Amino acid sequence: MMMHDWSRGAACQAMDPELFFPISTEGPGREQVEQAKAVCRGCPVRQPCLDYAIDTRQLNGVWGGTDPEQRRSLIPTVARRRETVPAPPLPGDR
């Protein structure tokens, strides 16, 4: 696994990674998301972490104090449009 220079100073470095990757962001998982975000609030590398998550389209987990839904809203509109273009029909499709 590649380690980024900024991650060495992360507040989550010595914590259980499972805290930052809950099974769901709903129900009981919501409390876990809030606990992870609380760790991020005091993190000195919160912005580089968030930048990394957006640049690499991290779909799961808490990164830079954001959950996946919050990050989706931060992805530039052009990039979002590119991701939602439907695939062309396969030969023989009706």
Side-chain angles (χ1 to χ4, degrees):
M1 182 170 146
M2 183 177 162
M3 180 172 270
H4 302 276
D5 287 339
W6 57 261
S7 68
R8 289 184 177 94
C12 63
Q13 186 65 26
M15 300 188 77
D16 184 348
E18 288 191 23
L19 174 64
F20 298 88
F21 293 92
I23 292 173
S24 170
T25 58
E26 303 298 321
R30 187 82 218 142
E31 177 61 29
Q32 188 175 341
V33 168
E34 294 308 317
Q35 289 173 1
K37 287 180 177 182
V39 172
C40 295
R41 277 193 287 278
C43 184
V45 296
R46 182 176 178 182
Q47 190 61 54
C49 179
L50 178 56
D51 293 343
Y52 171 81
I54 291 171
D55 291 345
T56 60
R57 305 290 195 266
Q58 296 298 315
L59 302 176
N60 300 301
V62 174
W63 292 83
T66 63
D67 59 49
E69 185 176 329
Q70 291 170 315
R71 285 193 304 280
R72 275 192 294 277
S73 71
L74 297 173
I75 295 172
T77 305
V78 173
R80 267 186 287 175
R81 263 191 258 130
R82 195 175 332 118
E83 291 175 3
T84 60
V85 173
L90 296 172
D93 276 359
R94 299 176 189 209

